[in-house]
mmCIF file of all heavy atoms in Angstrom:
data_model
loop_
_atom_site.group_PDB
_atom_site.id
_atom_site.type_symbol
_atom_site.label_atom_id
_atom_site.label_comp_id
_atom_site.label_asym_id
_atom_site.label_seq_id
_atom_site.Cartn_x
_atom_site.Cartn_y
_atom_site.Cartn_z
ATOM 1 N N VAL W 54 -1.515 7.471 -19.620
ATOM 2 C CA VAL W 54 -1.448 6.689 -20.926
ATOM 3 C C VAL W 54 -0.047 6.560 -21.313
ATOM 4 O O VAL W 54 0.637 7.510 -21.526
ATOM 5 C CB VAL W 54 -2.270 7.458 -22.029
ATOM 6 C CG1 VAL W 54 -2.186 6.554 -23.309
ATOM 7 C CG2 VAL W 54 -3.703 7.605 -21.602
ATOM 8 N N THR W 56 2.828 3.719 -23.346
ATOM 9 C CA THR W 56 3.299 2.468 -23.935
ATOM 10 C C THR W 56 4.743 2.342 -23.966
ATOM 11 O O THR W 56 5.424 3.373 -24.253
ATOM 12 C CB THR W 56 2.778 2.251 -25.406
ATOM 13 O OG1 THR W 56 1.372 2.315 -25.412
ATOM 14 C CG2 THR W 56 3.238 0.968 -26.008
ATOM 15 N N ARG W 61 5.658 0.307 -28.904
ATOM 16 C CA ARG W 61 4.830 1.273 -29.459
ATOM 17 C C ARG W 61 4.520 1.000 -30.961
ATOM 18 O O ARG W 61 5.235 0.185 -31.651
ATOM 19 C CB ARG W 61 5.564 2.678 -29.412
ATOM 20 C CG ARG W 61 5.516 3.182 -27.975
ATOM 21 C CD ARG W 61 6.083 4.569 -27.923
ATOM 22 N NE ARG W 61 6.361 4.855 -26.467
ATOM 23 C CZ ARG W 61 7.038 5.829 -25.992
ATOM 24 N NH1 ARG W 61 7.660 6.662 -26.820
ATOM 25 N NH2 ARG W 61 7.179 5.993 -24.713
ATOM 26 N N GLY W 62 3.418 1.590 -31.483
ATOM 27 C CA GLY W 62 3.057 1.384 -32.887
ATOM 28 C C GLY W 62 2.321 0.061 -33.187
ATOM 29 O O GLY W 62 2.209 -0.267 -34.329
ATOM 30 N N ARG W 63 1.914 -0.660 -32.096
ATOM 31 C CA ARG W 63 1.186 -1.868 -32.311
ATOM 32 C C ARG W 63 -0.253 -1.802 -32.046
ATOM 33 O O ARG W 63 -0.902 -2.773 -32.018
ATOM 34 C CB ARG W 63 1.829 -3.013 -31.454
ATOM 35 C CG ARG W 63 3.309 -3.359 -31.746
ATOM 36 C CD ARG W 63 3.791 -4.276 -30.681
ATOM 37 N NE ARG W 63 5.153 -4.789 -30.867
ATOM 38 C CZ ARG W 63 5.471 -6.053 -31.093
ATOM 39 N NH1 ARG W 63 4.558 -6.903 -31.192
ATOM 40 N NH2 ARG W 63 6.665 -6.379 -31.265
ATOM 41 N N GLY W 64 -0.688 -0.528 -31.724
ATOM 42 C CA GLY W 64 -2.111 -0.332 -31.445
ATOM 43 C C GLY W 64 -2.478 -0.561 -29.945
ATOM 44 O O GLY W 64 -3.638 -0.566 -29.554
ATOM 45 N N ALA W 66 -1.951 1.388 -27.159
ATOM 46 C CA ALA W 66 -2.596 2.533 -26.519
ATOM 47 C C ALA W 66 -3.985 2.762 -27.005
ATOM 48 O O ALA W 66 -4.833 2.964 -26.218
ATOM 49 C CB ALA W 66 -1.728 3.812 -26.695
ATOM 50 N N THR W 67 -4.180 2.451 -28.271
ATOM 51 C CA THR W 67 -5.603 2.624 -28.758
ATOM 52 C C THR W 67 -6.525 1.610 -28.202
ATOM 53 O O THR W 67 -7.566 1.873 -27.724
ATOM 54 C CB THR W 67 -5.542 2.428 -30.324
ATOM 55 O OG1 THR W 67 -4.604 3.439 -30.871
ATOM 56 C CG2 THR W 67 -6.885 2.626 -31.013
ATOM 57 N N HIS W 93 2.074 17.938 -27.797
ATOM 58 C CA HIS W 93 2.566 17.016 -28.861
ATOM 59 C C HIS W 93 1.678 15.750 -29.001
ATOM 60 O O HIS W 93 1.871 15.046 -29.897
ATOM 61 C CB HIS W 93 3.996 16.767 -28.667
ATOM 62 C CG HIS W 93 4.378 15.917 -27.446
ATOM 63 N ND1 HIS W 93 4.689 16.529 -26.266
ATOM 64 C CD2 HIS W 93 4.366 14.527 -27.256
ATOM 65 C CE1 HIS W 93 4.900 15.514 -25.346
ATOM 66 N NE2 HIS W 93 4.677 14.394 -25.932
ATOM 67 N N ASN W 94 0.823 15.495 -27.992
ATOM 68 C CA ASN W 94 -0.084 14.413 -28.022
ATOM 69 C C ASN W 94 -1.445 14.788 -28.439
ATOM 70 O O ASN W 94 -2.278 13.787 -28.628
ATOM 71 C CB ASN W 94 -0.067 13.671 -26.726
ATOM 72 C CG ASN W 94 1.183 12.847 -26.552
ATOM 73 O OD1 ASN W 94 1.697 12.283 -27.513
ATOM 74 N ND2 ASN W 94 1.701 12.852 -25.358
ATOM 75 N N ARG W 101 -8.643 10.028 -32.238
ATOM 76 C CA ARG W 101 -9.339 8.922 -31.639
ATOM 77 C C ARG W 101 -10.629 9.432 -30.961
ATOM 78 O O ARG W 101 -11.190 8.816 -30.037
ATOM 79 C CB ARG W 101 -8.476 8.280 -30.542
ATOM 80 C CG ARG W 101 -7.458 7.315 -31.237
ATOM 81 C CD ARG W 101 -6.235 7.007 -30.450
ATOM 82 N NE ARG W 101 -5.331 6.252 -31.246
ATOM 83 C CZ ARG W 101 -4.540 6.654 -32.166
ATOM 84 N NH1 ARG W 101 -4.527 8.057 -32.469
ATOM 85 N NH2 ARG W 101 -3.753 5.933 -32.898
HETATM 86 C C1 COA S 1 1.475 8.211 -27.237
HETATM 87 C C2 COA S 1 1.646 6.791 -26.954
HETATM 88 C C3 COA S 1 0.884 6.399 -25.635
HETATM 89 C C4 COA S 1 1.134 5.939 -28.155
HETATM 90 O O1 COA S 1 1.217 4.547 -27.722
HETATM 91 P P1 COA S 1 1.173 3.381 -28.879
HETATM 92 O O2 COA S 1 0.811 2.067 -28.190
HETATM 93 O O3 COA S 1 2.335 3.438 -29.741
HETATM 94 O O4 COA S 1 -0.102 3.853 -29.697
HETATM 95 P P2 COA S 1 -0.899 3.022 -30.806
HETATM 96 O O5 COA S 1 -0.038 1.912 -31.321
HETATM 97 O O6 COA S 1 -2.279 2.721 -30.326
HETATM 98 O O7 COA S 1 -1.100 4.189 -31.910
HETATM 99 C C5 COA S 1 0.033 4.542 -32.697
HETATM 100 C C6 COA S 1 -0.384 5.499 -33.731
HETATM 101 O O8 COA S 1 -0.505 6.799 -33.074
HETATM 102 C C7 COA S 1 0.350 7.683 -33.703
HETATM 103 N N1 COA S 1 0.939 8.586 -32.766
HETATM 104 C C8 COA S 1 1.752 8.285 -31.644
HETATM 105 N N2 COA S 1 2.094 9.354 -30.958
HETATM 106 C C9 COA S 1 1.448 10.332 -31.561
HETATM 107 C C10 COA S 1 1.395 11.780 -31.400
HETATM 108 N N3 COA S 1 2.018 12.308 -30.340
HETATM 109 N N4 COA S 1 0.683 12.531 -32.228
HETATM 110 C C11 COA S 1 -0.048 11.988 -33.279
HETATM 111 N N5 COA S 1 0.014 10.661 -33.489
HETATM 112 C C12 COA S 1 0.743 9.841 -32.796
HETATM 113 C C13 COA S 1 1.462 6.829 -34.366
HETATM 114 O O9 COA S 1 2.029 7.503 -35.385
HETATM 115 C C14 COA S 1 0.646 5.677 -34.808
HETATM 116 O O10 COA S 1 -0.019 5.965 -36.011
HETATM 117 P P3 COA S 1 -0.415 4.806 -36.986
HETATM 118 O O11 COA S 1 -1.353 3.880 -36.277
HETATM 119 O O12 COA S 1 -1.111 5.549 -38.167
HETATM 120 O O13 COA S 1 0.858 4.164 -37.416
HETATM 121 C C15 COA S 1 3.147 6.412 -26.655
HETATM 122 O O14 COA S 1 3.845 6.892 -27.759
HETATM 123 C C16 COA S 1 3.715 6.866 -25.356
HETATM 124 O O15 COA S 1 3.666 6.103 -24.426
HETATM 125 N N6 COA S 1 4.314 8.079 -25.363
HETATM 126 C C17 COA S 1 5.010 8.633 -24.194
HETATM 127 C C18 COA S 1 3.999 8.835 -23.118
HETATM 128 C C19 COA S 1 2.931 9.836 -23.466
HETATM 129 O O16 COA S 1 3.220 10.867 -24.162
HETATM 130 N N7 COA S 1 1.667 9.528 -23.090
HETATM 131 C C20 COA S 1 0.630 10.304 -23.285
HETATM 132 C C21 COA S 1 0.260 11.160 -22.090
HETATM 133 S S1 COA S 1 -1.026 12.293 -22.318
#
Side-chain angles (χ1 to χ4, degrees):
V54 179
T56 300
R61 290 183 189 166
R63 295 172 177 247
T67 303
H93 66 268
N94 283 322
R101 284 158 185 76

